[in-house]
């Protein structure tokens, strides 16, 4: 199900701490970076923090600059983003600043936690999500019920860890402060967990006063039918590659990327690449990889249009090429219409031989765009 773009935001010491153990909050950022955070807050639909952060810091989570609030209103949005907190127990102080500043608030909790929060008189929409907290269900609820398309997560460390290890974080904005904490009892940004293998992609690095902002995005594909954030990133790239195809009246424009389990791009391709009038995107990408590459067995193929199951231009369709290469996971945006082949079902052909096919319809519009002259849409 669709869910918001999830942006994790945090500032840490050089040795990876969010705070020290003193009575006052350790200020890791300076005025310039606080202003940057205010700008990011103004750009999102909602800001989320954990219950532990409310208890420890008693934050207000506001957009402080009047001109940014005015710009939001001029765009037809509320002056402040929706404020969201997550608590399994629902045991929160009803007098905390979080509930009494800014705009609308939401508490996502368990069924039992909802009972406790209502008994406390918490001033928020209280959303029970079942016996246990489920991050996918929570994010989908924010998307569907509140129209949240961009979500900024400001902590704490447990929430950041859960979202990253579950593959639900689209971006990490990390500020590195030039100081050490060194206290083993202090809060750290990330805890133990199963993180993606390989390296994240660096999107930006920028000095801001005496701190450094680093923006990263995850790269490792999912491993089954549930999509992770990186699946969306790679599929978006496949859709961009489809725009590079020479136009045709007799074939679709498709882009494809093959990605190893650790997030390494193995190859990319697009329809009619290199002047070949009949080459398909998946075919072009797979042709660039050594068939003996052991990474193919755990790789994912991203294709803007589902791989073909039948074709007349070449003897082997793309679904067969993918299976013969040993790949057993495919992510696509768009099921093939009957424009050229009636009853096309590349996804079915893949699934029949044990491959997992994940369809992400959020990307269908981008995949269709270079083909509108064929579909009439």
């Amino acid at each position: 199900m669709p869910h918001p773009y999830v942006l994790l935001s945090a500032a840490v010491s050089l040795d990876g701490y969010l705070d020290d153990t003193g009575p006052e909050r350790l200020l890791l950022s300076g005025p310039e970076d606080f202003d940057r955070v205010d700008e990011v807050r103004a750009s999102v639909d909602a800001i989320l923090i954990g219950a532990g952060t409310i208890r420890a810091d008693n934050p207000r989570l506001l957009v402080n600059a009047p001109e940014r609030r005015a710009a939001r209103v001029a765009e037809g949005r509320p002056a402040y983003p929706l404020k969201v907190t997550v608590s399994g127990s629902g045991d929160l102080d009803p007098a905390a600043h979080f509930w009494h500043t800014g705009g609308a608030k939401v508490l996502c909790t368990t069924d039992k936690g909802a009972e406790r929060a209502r008994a406390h008189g918490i001033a928020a929409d209280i959303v029970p999500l079942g016996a246990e907290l489920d991050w996918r269900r929570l994010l989908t609820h924010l998307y569907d019920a509140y129209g949240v398309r961009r979500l900024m997560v400001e902590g704490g460390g447990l929430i950041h860890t859960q979202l990253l290890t579950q593959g639900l974080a689209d971006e990490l904005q990390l500020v590195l402060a030039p100081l050490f904490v060194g206290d083993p009892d202090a809060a750290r940004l990330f805890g133990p967990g199963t993180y993606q293998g390989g390296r994240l992609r660096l999107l930006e690095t920028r000095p801001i006063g005496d701190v450094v902002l680093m923006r990263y995005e995850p790269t490792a594909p999912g491993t089954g039918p549930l999509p992770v954030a990186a699946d969306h990133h790679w599929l978006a790239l496949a859709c961009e590659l489809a725009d590079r195809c020479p136009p045709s009246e007799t074939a679709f424009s498709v882009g494809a990327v093959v990605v190893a389990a650790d997030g390494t791009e193995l190859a990319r391709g697009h329809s009619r690449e290199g002047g070949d009038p009949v080459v398909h995107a998946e075919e072009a990408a797979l042709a660039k990889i050594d068939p003996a590459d052991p990474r193919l067995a755990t790789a994912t193929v991203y294709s803007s249009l589902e791989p073909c199951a039948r074709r007349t231009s070449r003897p082997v369709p793309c679904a067969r090429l993918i299976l013969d290469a040993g790949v057993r996971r495919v992510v696509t945006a768009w099921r093939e219409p009957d424009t050229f082949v009636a009853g096309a079902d590349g996804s079915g052909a893949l699934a029949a031989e044990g491959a997992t096919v994940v369809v992400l319809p959020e990307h269908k519009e981008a995949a269709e765009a270079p083909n509108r002259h064929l579909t009439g849409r």
Side-chain angles (χ1 to χ4, degrees):
M1 298 295 290
H3 60 73
Y5 183 95
V6 177
L7 184 161
L8 307 186
S9 175
V12 296
S13 64
L14 289 174
D15 50 347
Y17 287 93
L18 287 166
D19 200 356
D20 58 20
T21 54
E24 302 296 327
R25 176 73 176 175
L26 176 64
L27 295 181
L28 292 162
S29 297
E32 300 97 330
D33 188 57
F34 287 134
D35 185 66
R36 178 196 65 82
V37 170
D38 195 63
E39 182 178 24
V40 177
R41 287 179 178 176
S43 73
V44 300
D45 300 306
I47 304 169
L48 183 149
I49 60 170
T53 302
I54 292 179
R55 298 185 188 106
D57 301 336
N58 198 19
R60 290 177 170 82
L61 291 186
L62 303 177
V63 174
N64 293 310
E67 64 274 13
R68 291 180 180 137
R69 297 197 299 271
R72 287 178 58 89
V73 172
E75 294 167 358
R77 300 191 290 167
Y80 296 99
L82 178 72
K83 296 199 298 188
V84 183
T85 191
V86 181
S87 170
S89 69
D91 189 12
L92 291 160
D93 181 1
H97 295 320
F98 182 90
W99 315 112
H100 303 288
T101 57
K105 296 97 183 170
V106 176
L107 166 61
C108 294
T109 183
T110 60
D111 294 342
K112 289 184 178 179
E115 295 176 9
R116 186 176 290 112
R118 291 189 185 107
H120 285 333
I122 296 294
D125 286 350
I126 298 173
V127 179
L129 292 170
E132 303 290 338
L133 287 171
D134 181 319
W135 276 107
R136 288 182 183 271
R137 185 177 176 188
L138 185 156
L139 294 172
T140 298
H141 182 79
L142 292 178
Y143 187 99
D144 290 340
Y146 295 95
V148 176
R149 298 298 182 264
R150 250 182 110 74
L151 175 68
M152 181 181 187
V153 180
E154 294 200 37
L158 177 61
I159 285 178
H160 282 148
T161 298
Q162 290 174 340
L163 288 169
L164 270 175
T165 55
Q166 293 181 38
L168 297 173
D170 292 276
E171 180 181 338
L172 171 61
Q173 293 192 1
L174 182 64
V175 164
L176 192 63
L179 53 83
F180 295 93
V181 172
D183 186 339
D185 294 326
R188 300 188 71 94
L189 175 56
F190 297 121
T194 305
Y195 295 90
Q196 79 152 74
R199 305 170 77 87
L200 279 71
R201 179 180 295 109
L202 180 64
L203 301 175
E204 178 188 9
T205 179
R206 172 163 48 107
I208 305 173
D210 68 346
V211 304
V212 176
L213 168 69
M214 295 170 289
R215 294 176 52 232
Y216 290 95
E217 69 176 12
T219 59
T223 56
L226 289 177
V228 299
D231 288 328
H232 290 277
H233 300 165
W234 288 115
L235 187 55
L237 173 59
C239 293
E240 291 174 13
L241 293 171
D243 276 329
R244 302 184 186 179
C245 301
S248 171
E249 295 296 327
T250 58
F252 289 111
S253 293
V254 183
V257 190
V258 186
V259 182
D262 66 354
T264 301
E265 180 182 327
L266 300 181
R268 62 176 68 181
H270 59 79
S271 306
R272 299 174 293 283
E273 182 177 330
D276 184 336
V278 297
V279 73
H280 286 194
E282 304 92 330
E283 178 185 17
L286 288 169
K288 299 169 186 173
I289 307 171
D290 183 346
D293 192 324
R295 295 173 294 179
L296 283 167
T298 53
T300 295
V301 168
Y302 297 89
S303 181
S304 59
L305 178 68
E306 74 172 342
C308 61
R310 299 193 302 277
R311 63 189 292 189
T312 58
S313 59
R314 293 262 165 85
V316 183
C318 291
R320 184 76 259 159
L321 291 173
I322 290 169
L323 292 166
D324 289 349
V327 177
R328 289 300 180 267
R329 187 170 187 267
V330 175
V331 178
T332 186
W334 182 28
R335 298 293 301 273
E336 184 178 352
D338 291 343
T339 309
F340 301 115
V341 178
D345 186 16
S347 298
L350 290 162
E353 296 198 34
T356 297
V357 180
V358 182
V359 181
L360 300 180
E362 305 96 305
H363 300 269
K364 182 181 178 183
E365 184 176 351
E368 285 184 319
N371 296 289
R372 289 199 180 108
H373 64 293
L374 299 174
T375 63
R377 297 181 182 180

